[in-house]
Amino acid sequence: MEIQIRIKKGILEGTDCGSCMVFRGVPYAKPPIGELRWKPPMETEPWEGVKKAERFGNIAIQTLPTGKEPWGQGYYKEFYSDPSYIPPMSEDCLYLNIWAPKKETDSQADIRKRRAPVAFWIHGGGFSGGYSSEIEFDGEACCEKGVILVTVEYRVNVFGFLAHPWLSAEDPHSASGNYGILDQIAALKWVRENIASFGGDPENITVFGQSAGSMSAQVLVSSDLTRGMVAKAILQSGITCQTGPMYPLSLKEAEEYGKLFADSLQAGSLEELRALPARKIKETGEKWSGRLRAFGKGLLPQPNIDGYVLEKFVGDVWREGKMHPIPYLCGAVNSDLLSEPEEVKAKKPGALIAQCGAWSEKCGEIYGKPAYVYFFAHELPGDEWGAEAFHSSELWYMMGTLARCWRPMGEDDRRLSREMVECWTDFMKTGNPDPQGDKNWRPYEKEEKFIKVFQ
């Protein structure tokens, strides 16, 4: 059954699922193609009539795991083996998806009066891949708890994070390379401007993400561009304080890396680069990215300190206590980034949990609100990889999508998923994942370094 919602640019038609309404493939910016390649996202134009929002939009251009790569075998089987959850790829990818609670008896006026908390999800993928409609992402569980879920597509790899002196020279802020983050900011602005039409509260938006999505969220809460736009944040398996997965990449350094890319294409101008077909950019970009990562400086390409999106490295923002003064929830899984083999075997929190603790203590120090920290050590059934609680394994649980997973999930898994969904949505509502005090989850403080263990 279709349902229509009027937003600022026109009328959207989504799907009425009874308990929730779903709007897929909603454009939040113009397609970044042609002359708009490697430019900040541009606002969409109004449209006449009704725009269908029943299918997921294109995903950003990338190389998905095939199961043949040493690094991708587990991830392919886990998240990418079902082609029905993989939309087409295109540079035209700036779309978002909305799941909003709805009762069949609600009138349009009732929907507008409602002010539900909003969860703004940023997918991971090492800034090189991933997409907003992966099989493990869905908003039904959030809607059942009265929370709207928005998932966002953004430019990745060379399309989203190429810096170059040519690009900086044409930019009004003399910046380049942070296009994927600017996409996220444009989507966040779109949500603030339009989410009330779906029953959401634009003043109660929780930005959350996992892996590179968490790193993106940390950039957003470290940027002056988003001051006052984010009410809460959840950082999952990707936080940098004293150390971490992100590298302090300067704009100048990013531009030098960008020169390597342009030189490899023998491009003599920005016009020549923009005239190249997307396939050529993708193929050359993958070789370029592999070359950068051989430098041993973490995830490259990645967001850079451009003086506009980021005036300082996220670690320095933390050190100075200048991140946004909002409630935070952060954590990691057992076999996570930076974890040592002996830590994984003993199910002992590793370096990322230490960074979460440092983040929480700084929050307590600067504005008296320490964060909530978790450690996911649950053994997933089905194989040895799951038994280690691999990087990204918690997504099935906190998204409430166990039924889509190939693993033989049991009642313990379903119990844990219900608990995590409730904790996440309670935090989105109140800033506290345990407002009733029945989950034994207290803030992480200097005096009591409390970590909620999910196992």
Side-chain angles (χ1 to χ4, degrees), residues 374-419:
Y374 73 88
F375 178 55
F376 183 87
H378 181 68
E379 295 185 6
L380 280 69
D383 61 11
E384 294 182 2
W385 201 48
E388 289 188 345
F390 59 90
H391 181 70
S392 307
S393 59
E394 87 281 22
L395 297 178
W396 296 115
Y397 294 79
M398 41 75 59
M399 282 283 179
T401 51
L402 297 187
R404 293 182 178 179
C405 186
W406 67 269
R407 297 177 180 277
M409 300 295 189
E411 183 51 39
D412 284 347
D413 301 285
R414 290 185 283 273
R415 171 199 55 77
L416 181 59
S417 179
R418 290 192 294 269
E419 181 182 12

Side-chain angles (χ1 to χ4, degrees), residues 229-258:
M229 297 171 65
V230 180
K232 308 174 187 72
I234 302 176
L235 310 175
Q236 301 177 212
S237 296
I239 190 168
T240 298
C241 297
Q242 304 104 324
T243 185
M246 289 193 71
Y247 168 76
L249 182 67
S250 68
L251 174 59
K252 183 176 180 180
E253 189 174 8
E255 288 177 337
E256 290 300 315
Y257 294 155

